[in-house]
Amino acid sequence: MMQKITKSASVVLAGDSFITQRLPRDAKLAALKEYLAGFDVRFTNFEILLHDFEVYPAPVSGGTWACARPAVLQDLQYLGFNLYTWANNHTIDWNLGGILTTKKHLDAAGVVHAGCGINLEEAAQPRYLDLPQGRAAIIGVTSTMSEWGMASNPRRDVLGRPGANVLRYQQIHKVLPAELETLRKIVDQTEVNANRMLLEKEGFTKPLTGGYLIGNIRFEAVEHGEKPGTVTLMNKKDADRIVRSIEEAKRQADFVFVSHHSHERKGMEKNRPADFCRDFAKLCIDAGATAYVGHGPHIWRGIEIYKEKPIFYSLGDFIFQNDSVERQPTEFYDQYDLGPDNTVADGLDARSGHATRGLAVDHFVFESALASFTVTEGAIREVNLQPLSLGFKNGRSLRGRPELADAKYGEQILADIANLSKEYGTKIDIAEGKGKISI
């Protein structure tokens, strides 16, 4: 009689791999490779586009025009990653050409990747990693995305558009009724909303009932018992599409992961997710996801345990070589009033105020962790955290490369993650430079 296979897999999750240069094969990288090799499923978000500058840049970017030579993929494969997503705010940095070249190189490397495709159907499709003891599925989603980077489906008479699987959202600003009327009066004294009003009058956009739009900024009066403030709601059409993907993956695989790239935050607090992100994470778990894997703001956000499943609101960075990009288009230099004779280094100095502001001086950007757990017949009993250092003090040329953090530094990193997780009722036990969450 054939013995039933126990469907169990060990999983390790890394945050954003913004890799723009090769990683030297030294002892630190070898130690990291050895650690990752201990897991069956090894995930990272691939936040870069691959090409040899044969494609045209878009006029705007996700912050930096993210790109690297295709050879950098070899370093992630050396480390053993076998599950990737690449739906993020940089997907359209190099127009449709950059999407197509990246897809070409990922496909040629034979890696399992999700979140982008030649149309929306492909971008939203679960992708599968087959293991001896089961099958893992990954679904890639981004909510931080220019509308130009959104994939679309074909019609009978029109091609679909390459791009990302996007979860749109609506931001609603709630104010007191009297203040909403005052706002209307102020706006009506000017032409600030003339374009919106004319588009509505001529039928090019729908008027809003139950609120007031200034351009695309939505205001509503608070209802009884509500306080003024801002709320965010996920787009139902997009959420329904993603739920269908999760339900499909649940039928076809044993372990289902939803990767969500989101810079959206609570007000000015980058380390707290926007309201709709929390709602979406729980929606994913309710639909059958094994874990919600968030990333995007380049820093860690807290961990929540929901229905005995982990929600990682942001895993921070795994590799962050934002200041090592090889080339940038004219628009990058225009932002800083630089000309054709200036170099990438000049632009980076101008952006950072000569290393006095921005991501390059935020040590949290370069302090991270790998999250891991074992799924056995759908159950997860604990989550483990292995801290990482990305070399904050190493200067531009070396900063952003990952290595296992020593015990003292690791406990400092974990204490910050534990503090962020308290809001969600999650307790992280820290000992000998490692973290553990019991479920």
Side-chain angles (χ1 to χ4, degrees):
M1 185 176 178
M2 186 176 292
Q3 187 176 4
K4 181 184 176 182
I5 295 175
T6 299
K7 295 174 181 177
S8 178
S10 56
V11 180
V12 63
L13 306 171
D16 290 324
S17 286
F18 197 112
I19 179 171
T20 60
Q21 301 297 330
R22 301 298 304 273
L23 300 177
R25 306 287 174 90
D26 58 9
K28 293 177 180 178
L29 198 69
L32 188 52
K33 172 183 171 65
E34 182 180 0
Y35 178 84
L36 292 167
F39 301 91
D40 302 312
V41 178
R42 301 175 290 274
F43 164 85
T44 188
N45 179 59
F46 189 64
E47 198 176 4
I48 209 76
L49 295 170
L50 298 174
H51 58 73
D52 287 302
F53 299 96
E54 74 273 30
V55 297
Y56 300 105
V60 295
S61 74
T64 299
W65 279 258
C67 58
R69 302 284 182 174
V72 299
L73 187 56
Q74 295 173 23
D75 295 322
L76 294 178
Q77 291 182 286
Y78 165 80
L79 288 169
F81 287 103
N82 54 15
L83 215 55
Y84 300 74
T85 52
W86 55 295
N88 57 69
N89 54 300
H90 293 285
T91 300
I92 198 64
D93 283 358
W94 294 84
N95 274 309
L96 298 184
I99 294 173
L100 297 176
T101 56
T102 304
K103 181 181 181 323
K104 178 185 71 174
H105 291 296
L106 290 170
D107 287 344
V111 302
V112 178
H113 61 91
C116 296
I118 59 170
N119 54 40
L120 182 57
E121 194 71 26
E122 184 175 278
Q125 180 182 346
R127 296 302 176 95
Y128 300 100
L129 173 67
D130 287 294
L131 305 166
Q133 69 277 33
R135 199 181 202 204
I138 185 71
I139 296 162
V141 180
T142 183
S143 50
T144 310
M145 169 56 67
S146 161
E147 61 185 11
W148 295 99
M150 294 172 53
S152 72
N153 273 329
R155 289 177 54 87
R156 290 188 298 271
D157 54 350
V158 176
L159 291 172
R161 182 177 58 252
N165 185 25
V166 176
L167 173 67
R168 291 167 289 184
Y169 64 96
Q170 176 69 62
Q171 194 172 56
I172 305 171
H173 306 286
K174 301 266 191 172
V175 298
L176 296 172
E179 293 174 344
L180 184 60
E181 286 307 308
T182 299
L183 182 63
R184 289 180 188 270
K185 290 177 182 178
I186 292 171
V187 170
D188 287 347
Q189 293 174 26
T190 72
E191 297 178 6
V192 68
N193 214 24
N195 285 345
R196 176 87 206 181
M197 294 166 65
L198 185 61
L199 288 171
E200 289 183 8
K201 180 180 178 181
E202 295 183 343
F204 290 102
T205 191
K206 293 187 296 185
L208 175 69
T209 57
Y212 181 52
L213 283 167
I214 303 176
N216 291 320
I217 303 173
R218 180 169 177 166
F219 292 88
E220 291 182 4
V222 295
E223 298 180 0
H224 181 71
E226 283 187 323
K227 293 182 179 180
T230 299
V231 297
T232 53
L233 303 173
M234 56 185 157
N235 179 283
K236 186 177 185 305
K237 182 178 179 181
D238 293 338
D240 288 348
R241 179 186 68 252
I242 295 162
V243 165
R244 287 195 299 272
S245 294
I246 296 170
E247 291 172 343
E248 169 73 7
K250 183 69 176 174
R251 293 164 65 193
Q252 298 294 96
D254 305 296
F255 324 106
V256 180
F257 306 102
V258 179
S259 162
H260 180 202
H261 196 81
S262 172
H263 287 250
E264 289 74 32
R265 61 194 180 276
K266 192 69 177 171
M268 294 287 288
E269 299 177 85
K270 285 179 65 174
N271 56 18
R272 297 180 68 210
D275 298 329
F276 82 93
C277 293
R278 295 193 63 181
D279 294 339
F280 176 61
K282 292 177 180 178
L283 179 69
C284 291
I285 301 298
D286 288 339
T290 306
Y292 167 94
V293 186
H295 37 79
H298 298 298
I299 56 174
W300 260 78
R301 289 173 173 168
I303 303 168
E304 183 169 6
I305 305 300
Y306 174 69
K307 295 185 176 180
E308 299 186 335
K309 297 294 190 296
I311 292 174
F312 304 96
Y313 285 112
S314 174
L315 292 168
D317 289 321
F318 178 68
I319 300 169
F320 193 60
Q321 296 175 321
N322 189 39
D323 290 341
S324 299
V325 287
E326 180 183 340
R327 302 180 191 177
Q328 292 287 275
T330 296
E331 289 81 3
F332 171 77
Y333 298 96
D334 288 346
Q335 294 177 79
Y336 310 109
D337 298 321
L338 299 175
D341 293 329
N342 290 107
T343 65
V344 170
D346 295 330
L348 294 171
D349 286 341
R351 181 167 69 183
S352 68
H354 293 275
T356 61
R357 65 182 179 220
L359 299 179
V361 298
D362 183 354
H363 68 92
F364 289 113
V365 171
F366 301 92
E367 296 170 355
S368 192
L370 296 167
S372 63
F373 49 85
T374 296
V375 193
T376 303
E377 298 295 344
I380 300 171
R381 294 291 170 239
E382 68 178 37
V383 173
N384 295 289
L385 300 174
Q386 167 60 58
L388 296 174
S389 168
L390 273 65
F392 172 63
K393 296 180 180 179
N394 290 346
R396 183 183 291 171
S397 64
L398 300 179
R399 191 169 49 221
R401 300 176 183 177
E403 62 182 79
L404 302 174
D406 61 40
K408 182 178 179 181
Y409 191 18
E411 291 185 5
Q412 175 189 321
I413 293 168
L414 292 171
D416 291 330
I417 296 172
N419 189 52
L420 293 170
S421 301
K422 286 179 181 176
E423 177 180 353
Y424 313 113
T426 303
K427 182 178 183 295
I428 300 177
D429 296 314
I430 301 171
E432 297 180 353
K434 304 287 193 297
K436 184 175 78 171
I437 301 168
S438 298
I439 301 177

